[in-house]
Amino acid sequence: MAHVLLTGAAGFIGSHITSALTAGGHEVVAVDGMVPAAHGPGAIAPEGVQLADLRASSLTEMLDGVDVVCHQAARVGAGVDARDAPDYAADNDLVTARLLAAMFETRCRRLVLASSMVVYGDGTYRDRSGQIVDPPPRRAVDLEARRFERYLPGGEPAEWALTPEDAPLAPRSYYAASKAAQESYCRAWSLETGGAVTALRYHNVYGPHMPRDTPYAGVAAIFRSQLEARQAPTVFEDGGQMRDFVHVTDVAAANVAAIERLASGSEEAHEFEAFNICSGQPISIKQVAESLTDGISGPAPVTTGRYRPGDVRHIVADPARAAATLGFRATIMPERGLREFATAPLR
């Protein structure tokens, strides 16, 4: 049994981790700041969850007797505009830095960090011969002409490839920059203290109790909200954008695996390690919308051709390292999970 401090315990992912840890016999100290962007205005911490402003509260007291910290608290999503940048920096980076300082003071040396696939930026591509390439950024003139791929200098579209954990970090949003910074703080902390950090880079997480349509919600929740309103899901570009969608119960299982590995004091747990947490089954955004529509017998998706200049065309994950090292393999594939999500309760 591990004694775990879980931040963000009332959140979408955190609540599922709480249930999984408790079911596994672990002792959980659950805390959450109940940030309105995640929980709505005036939200009250659920039973068993301590209300704590992690920007200002004393974190050393929470760490008394803790074996492993599981840090899920974060501001997520694409946000609205540059005015969100200070909140991403405060809720994600400042809180993480304060947590690491408190862990240093209390000699707690094991951390599981909720990271994200957004740190990879544009993802991984290859040419027709299979060589990994870095195509030029997408141009407005191509997007206007509905040429949505990334194109090689000769004019051929580059093909997407699975992104491994050693791919370069190239964040493209304030949220992504904050997650990359979190990883950097944790890497520096582990080098100084000898502490072990497991960073779990979530791909597109979905499932029951996901937040409804907000600027901080994922595309699956946005499609769900449109279908609930009996509106057709609106798909940007041509719908061919490839992603990896992973069910929240699988994400919770990955966290439990990482926590138990660190708590065991395994010599295989290195100072800083990152893992893709994904289903391993890439799916297009159009297929996501179609699966949800099938699950609720709703109106067919509408492919708009509209685009957002900062959007990534394809980003899909290589699941091999998580399988080999953590023993994590997703059990709910998108085809089944998304159809069930069509009628699952939302927050």
Side-chain angles (χ1 to χ4, degrees):
M1 184 184 74
H3 188 175
V4 181
L5 172 62
L6 175 62
T7 71
F12 165 49
I13 295 173
S15 60
H16 285 271
I17 296 173
T18 301
S19 298
L21 285 171
T22 303
H26 301 292
E27 184 178 349
V28 182
V29 177
V31 300
D32 200 294
M34 304 304 293
V35 176
H39 299 277
I44 299 173
E47 184 178 355
V49 177
Q50 301 177 28
L51 178 63
D53 180 358
L54 299 181
R55 296 188 193 183
S57 299
S58 172
L59 303 180
T60 55
E61 296 175 5
M62 301 177 192
L63 288 164
D64 184 33
V66 166
D67 302 309
V68 183
V69 176
C70 183
H71 184 34
Q72 302 294 315
R75 180 176 293 262
V76 301
V80 178
D81 54 38
R83 286 170 290 191
D84 279 328
D87 285 325
Y88 280 116
D91 289 337
N92 297 355
D93 304 330
L94 174 61
V95 167
T96 299
R98 296 188 76 245
L99 178 61
L100 294 172
M103 291 178 69
F104 174 76
E105 290 183 26
T106 58
R107 303 184 66 80
C108 182
R109 296 290 185 266
R110 302 181 183 95
L111 172 66
V112 175
L113 172 70
S115 188
S116 171
M117 57 92 175
V118 296
V119 299
Y120 296 125
D122 267 322
T124 304
Y125 296 83
R126 59 191 173 199
D127 61 20
R128 185 173 290 180
S129 70
Q131 296 296 310
I132 298 298
V133 293
D134 183 18
R138 299 199 294 176
R139 303 181 306 165
V141 63
D142 287 325
L143 295 172
E144 287 289 344
R146 299 198 172 194
R147 288 166 44 86
F148 297 118
E149 300 295 339
R150 291 182 70 188
Y151 294 92
L152 301 171
E156 294 182 355
E159 300 176 357
W160 59 266
L162 298 181
T163 298
E165 288 85 350
D166 57 3
L169 303 192
R172 291 172 54 90
S173 68
Y174 299 111
Y175 170 57
S178 74
K179 299 309 285 186
Q182 278 185 297
E183 287 198 14
S184 294
Y185 275 108
C186 289
R187 190 186 301 272
W189 175 86
S190 70
L191 289 170
E192 180 198 358
T193 66
V197 179
T198 301
L200 303 181
R201 292 174 179 164
Y202 303 155
H203 284 250
N204 295 269
V205 187
Y206 70 97
H209 307 298
M210 192 174 187
R212 291 180 181 274
D213 183 10
T214 78
Y216 308 96
V219 67
I222 292 171
F223 288 161
R224 248 302 301 270
S225 295
Q226 290 174 326
L227 286 166
E228 265 191 346
R230 305 307 296 173
Q231 299 171 357
T234 52
V235 179
F236 279 72
E237 301 185 13
D238 60 358
Q241 309 94 305
M242 298 300 295
R243 298 290 189 270
D244 190 300
F245 279 75
V246 58
H247 197 274
V248 67
T249 57
D250 282 325
V251 173
N255 276 274
V256 173
I259 288 165
E260 291 179 344
R261 180 169 176 259
L262 291 182
S264 71
S266 171
E267 293 182 359
E268 296 177 356
H270 301 293
E271 286 81 1
F272 180 95
E273 297 176 291
F275 299 94
N276 287 324
I277 302 302
C278 59
S279 71
Q281 187 174 97
I283 184 172
S284 73
I285 294 297
K286 185 176 181 180
Q287 288 174 310
V288 171
E290 289 172 343
S291 294
L292 290 168
T293 295
D294 290 345
I296 204 170
S297 299
V302 174
T303 302
T304 66
R306 298 199 307 269
Y307 66 90
R308 293 170 293 199
D311 278 359
V312 172
R313 178 59 178 174
H314 305 298
I315 173 71
V316 291
D318 188 340
R321 182 183 291 182
T325 306
L326 298 180
F328 168 73
R329 294 174 178 82
T331 60
I332 301 176
M333 293 296 105
E335 182 178 0
R336 168 194 155 196
L338 287 166
R339 287 180 179 173
E340 293 176 351
F341 179 59
T343 54
L346 297 181
R347 180 184 300 158

